[in-house]
């Protein structure tokens, strides 16, 4: 707990949960099973201090779950078949992306590097992942700046704006976003090397990193849910 009202999970636990989530969605026996998995992930997000994100993600999936059920109950048409195929892919990807969002939002780079060093993970794996953890929040901040700049030019970064002004929206949105992403990637790589990310010496971390009882119970719950979908 570390003085916080929210639970703190070991980064190694989060990696195991992502692996279990990928296996569960890939081998899911039904849509109801995936809904239960998303609910379990939402509970994890609430316990980890991301309650609003977890509830919004759960409600979005619930709406799409009902939409998929309605599409399956309708007649067999070309549009319905296309919609079902798209939603089927969505149900395979959504839980993993949902969990990954919670993991990225609750994991500090220093904690992640310290945990990876303890399991003796290769630098070729940990360095790209560490840069990614810092890269996504940077892109989110640039996205807000781009939206503000678009507002000054009366261009809306929405579906309506894309349909009414497709060329202007693409010019004002995708071009600066791609340039910003490229610049941010270079800057983060240089900053990581400058701060000694390639240093072979053992890393230190102010936050205590250990696989505790909470981590064990969390992995156990996800493992039991995965096994229940396969054998029950």
């Amino acid at each position: 707990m570390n003085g916080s009202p929210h639970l703190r999970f070991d980064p190694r636990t989060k990696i195991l949960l992502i692996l279990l989530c990928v296996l569960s969605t890939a081998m899911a026996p039904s849509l109801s099973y995936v809904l239960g998995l998303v609910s379990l992930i939402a509970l994890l997000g609430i316990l980890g201090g991301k309650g609003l994100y977890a509830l919004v993600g759960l409600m979005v999936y619930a709406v799409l779950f009902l939409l998929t059920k309605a599409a399956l109950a309708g007649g067999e048409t070309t549009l319905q078949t296309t919609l079902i195929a798209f939603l089927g892919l969505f149900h395979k990807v959504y839980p993993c992306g949902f969990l990954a969002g919670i993991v990225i939002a609750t994991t500090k780079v220093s904690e992640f590097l310290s945990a990876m060093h303890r399991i003796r993970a290769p630098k070729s794996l940990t360095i790209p992942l560490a840069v990614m953890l810092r890269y996504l929040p940077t892109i989110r901040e640039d996205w807000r700046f781009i939206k503000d700049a678009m507002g000054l030019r009366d261009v809306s970064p929405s579906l309506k704006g894309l349909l009414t002004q497709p060329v202007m929206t693409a010019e004002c949105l995708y071009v600066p976003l791609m340039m910003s992403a490229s610049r941010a990637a270079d800057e983060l790589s240089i900053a990581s090397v400058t701060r000694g990310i390639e240093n072979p010496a053992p890393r230190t971390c102010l936050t205590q990193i250990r696989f505790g009882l909470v981590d064990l119970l969390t992995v156990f719950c996800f493992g039991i849910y995965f096994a229940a979908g396969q054998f029950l």
Side-chain angles (χ1 to χ4, degrees):
M1 299 290 288
N2 297 329
S4 172
H6 308 299
L7 297 178
R8 298 186 64 89
F9 300 96
D10 190 288
R12 293 164 291 185
T13 300
K14 298 173 185 178
I15 294 176
L16 289 175
L17 295 184
I18 291 178
L19 293 176
L20 288 172
C21 182
V22 171
L23 293 174
S24 299
T25 53
M27 306 171 67
S30 66
L31 289 178
S32 299
Y33 178 85
V34 180
L35 178 61
L37 178 62
V38 173
S39 302
L40 191 61
I41 295 172
L43 177 60
L44 178 72
I46 294 173
L47 295 176
K50 296 297 176 182
L52 181 60
Y53 175 86
L55 292 176
V56 171
L58 179 60
M59 288 188 292
V60 169
Y61 185 80
V63 171
L64 291 167
F65 174 82
L66 296 176
L67 178 62
T68 305
K69 286 291 188 180
L72 291 173
E76 295 184 0
T77 62
T78 303
L79 178 60
Q80 181 200 15
T81 303
T82 304
L83 180 61
I84 291 175
F86 171 76
L87 291 175
L89 178 62
F90 183 86
H91 288 292
K92 295 295 184 182
V93 175
Y94 188 90
C96 302
F98 187 30
L99 178 58
I102 295 175
V103 169
I104 292 173
T106 57
T107 305
K108 296 181 180 179
V109 177
S110 58
E111 297 175 359
F112 173 79
L113 289 175
S114 178
M116 291 301 98
H117 181 78
R118 291 192 179 187
I119 63 175
R120 302 184 183 279
K123 293 287 186 178
S124 59
L125 175 64
T126 58
I127 292 177
L129 291 177
V131 173
M132 182 198 70
L133 288 175
R134 188 65 186 88
Y135 176 76
L136 293 179
T138 302
I139 292 300
R140 189 182 302 117
E141 183 178 357
D142 291 338
W143 166 254
R144 290 197 296 266
F145 294 152
I146 293 172
K147 287 178 62 178
D148 294 340
M150 292 177 66
L152 295 177
R153 300 183 62 179
D154 295 328
V155 180
S156 175
S158 62
L159 180 60
K160 179 181 178 181
L162 182 62
L163 294 176
T164 56
Q165 297 176 297
V167 177
M168 181 63 72
T169 303
E171 179 183 353
C172 295
L173 178 61
Y174 298 109
V175 174
L177 186 61
M178 294 301 295
M179 294 180 62
S180 176
S182 177
R183 186 192 70 253
D186 293 338
E187 292 177 352
L188 287 174
S189 299
I190 295 172
S192 299
V193 173
T194 303
R195 297 178 64 179
I197 196 172
E198 296 178 329
N199 186 3
R203 295 188 62 87
T204 59
C205 184
L206 293 177
T207 305
Q208 186 178 11
I209 303 296
R210 65 185 184 89
F211 194 90
L213 179 61
V214 172
D215 301 284
L216 180 62
L217 291 176
T218 304
V219 173
F220 178 77
C221 290
F222 273 77
I224 288 295
Y225 193 81
F226 168 69
Q230 306 309 310
F231 302 108
L232 298 182

